[in-house]
Amino acid sequence: MAGLGNVAFRELVAEFGGFGLLFTGMCSAKAVHQENRYISKVFKWRDEELPFLVCQLLGGDPDSMALAAERVQREGFFGVDLNFGCCAAAICKKGGGASILKDPALAKRIVAAVRERVSIPLFVKFRTGWERDPLRASKEAAQMAASFEEAGADALIFHPRMAPDRRLRPPKWEDIRLVKEAVSIPVFGNGNIFETSDCEKMVNISSCDGISIGRMAVARPWIFATITDGFSPESSSNSGIYRYTAMRMMRLLLEHHDERTAVKMFKKFVPYYSAGFKFGHSISKQLLKTDSPDEILRAVDAVFATPPETTARPNMHLSL
Ligand SMILES: Cc1cc2nc3c(=O)[nH]c(=O)nc-3n(C[C@H](O)[C@H](O)[C@H](O)COP(=O)(O)O)c2cc1C
């Protein structure tokens, strides 16, 4: 996730464990072939995570996507993922992300060009396209999936929402089934997974082969451990998990970035950390009025000195 799925965040998730793969935030294909991993904020990794790390590429030009994918393979990533899902206006205007789905032939050419140049697992992350009629849109998504498989994709990550929809309506998990039925490669379902029971529901509705989690992994980086390892943050030894998570995140950001960048990055996590509490807005306010790592650590301590009242499901309005 852009701005959030950075190397420090992934280290925190890796400490909790329970996941299968981790993905970088989107990396511009045009930059990747010449990027310096020690300076870049996005194309940056720990060598230990390479065996389970997939690098996501953003771009609309088959040649630059293929060139970037070659670098990703050379660096030793587990796999490469093509971003055909982002519908932020700034990205789509430049011909990247979900805008590629407006031209299925181009989307297929990009997958084929990358396939030709790399042998590591090739993922495509996409969403229901731009068609407004829901039935036609579902059908088009399934056709697109089949064309990605034909072009050489090894697995698909599908977010069943139409492109201009953003997160205004719930994702249509039934459409994941249509995509799954259109291909023989694994399909990961994505969208609105908040807890273990949601995973069960998504699998039952869609028969998907795997699940991809976005915002909840940011809000609760232990979610994978809870789902697959039975990790329980409610047990007494884990009662301070929110305080621990915020503190650890700040410290990990400082290990990987300079102070100014680390503080700026931490603030992107604040709405997610506040989302699990009844008075999340007030928690956000306290954490955001800080200017240095020390102030942040002190504010985290103050906020969690008396454990604030939690909500059953995080208030994701805070984190949109
Ligand atoms: C702040 C933010 C940044 C995101 N950045 C990316 C990205 O870089 N690449 C991507 O494939 N999806 C990105 N997404 C979309 C998520 O990966 C995911 O598809 C979406 O949030 C729905 O899943 P969720 O309900 O589990 O969060 C982003 C979402 C958010 C909220």
Side-chain angles (χ1 to χ4, degrees):
M1 294 170 78
L4 298 160
N6 57 52
V7 65
F9 167 70
R10 297 193 306 265
E11 186 166 353
L12 178 61
V13 175
E15 286 174 355
F16 285 111
F19 56 87
L21 295 170
L22 295 178
F23 288 67
T24 67
M26 52 185 156
C27 301
S28 160
K30 288 216 162 99
V32 156
H33 74 278
Q34 54 179 18
E35 196 76 276
N36 179 344
R37 70 179 275 202
Y38 299 105
I39 295 173
S40 173
K41 294 188 181 87
V42 186
F43 192 62
K44 188 181 190 68
W45 61 92
R46 293 177 304 125
D47 289 337
E48 307 90 285
E49 61 180 340
L50 284 174
F52 50 82
L53 184 59
V54 178
C55 181
Q56 187 183 72
L57 297 177
L58 176 79
D61 166 53
D63 286 340
S64 58
M65 291 289 262
L67 194 64
E70 274 185 336
R71 165 103 194 257
V72 169
Q73 173 163 283
R74 237 183 4 260
E75 296 288 358
F77 282 81
F78 172 82
V80 63
D81 177 33
L82 310 181
N83 182 327
F84 293 171
C86 179
C87 59
I91 300 288
C92 287
K93 255 189 233 157
K94 288 188 194 154
S99 77
I100 292 163
L101 301 177
K102 288 178 181 167
D103 184 350
L106 170 65
K108 190 174 179 183
R109 276 207 311 283
I110 295 173
V111 178
V114 172
R115 176 73 298 159
E116 211 179 286
R117 306 270 271 277
V118 299
S119 57
I120 53 174
L122 169 54
F123 298 74
V124 178
K125 162 87 185 288
F126 72 116
R127 55 162 65 220
T128 319
W130 297 79
E131 167 61 53
R132 301 306 300 161
D133 176 74
L135 280 179
R136 288 225 301 262
S138 312
K139 212 170 136 198
E140 276 185 13
Q143 281 166 352
M144 202 100 70
S147 87
F148 298 154
E149 177 176 31
E150 215 177 276
D154 292 306
L156 305 175
I157 301 156
F158 180 59
H159 181 59
R161 270 198 184 103
M162 287 184 263
D165 246 17
R166 299 183 162 242
R167 281 180 291 276
L168 298 177
R169 276 175 268 188
K172 278 175 72 189
W173 288 354
E174 317 84 68
D175 281 359
I176 303 173
R177 173 176 282 279
L178 297 181
V179 163
K180 165 80 189 144
E181 285 169 355
V183 297
S184 58
I185 53 178
V187 173
F188 293 74
N190 168 249
N192 279 21
I193 294 290
F194 298 107
E195 53 193 77
T196 308
S197 62
D198 294 327
C199 295
E200 286 159 9
K201 264 186 237 153
M202 184 187 271
V203 170
N204 285 339
I205 290 174
S206 71
S207 294
C208 60
D209 303 283
I211 287 178
S212 150
I213 302 180
R215 291 164 300 156
M216 271 309 279
V218 178
R220 297 182 185 172
W222 59 89
I223 187 169
F224 304 101
T226 303
I227 293 169
T228 66
D229 289 343
F231 174 78
S232 170
E234 273 75 48
S235 77
S236 55
S237 60
N238 290 321
S239 59
I241 194 140
Y242 291 95
R243 177 186 174 278
Y244 170 83
T245 294
M247 291 275 190
R248 184 78 186 127
M249 189 70 226
M250 185 64 244
R251 293 195 170 110
L252 286 170
L253 283 166
L254 280 171
E255 280 178 26
H256 294 287
H257 303 281
D258 63 75
E259 256 191 46
R260 232 178 79 124
T261 308
V263 168
K264 217 169 135 193
M265 284 180 161
F266 181 86
K267 291 189 177 182
K268 296 210 165 135
F269 288 84
V270 165
Y272 292 85
Y273 294 158
S274 312
F277 299 98
K278 219 166 178 181
F279 301 104
H281 280 106
S282 132
I283 293 177
S284 261
K285 220 165 128 188
Q286 288 183 66
L287 296 179
L288 289 175
K289 68 181 181 200
T290 51
D291 282 323
S292 69
D294 281 348
E295 277 183 37
I296 286 174
L297 294 175
R298 274 200 300 276
V300 171
D301 249 343
V303 160
F304 292 107
T306 315
E309 207 175 328
T310 53
T311 53
R313 282 198 167 206
N315 172 11
M316 282 298 173
H317 293 302
L318 285 168
S319 54
L320 286 178

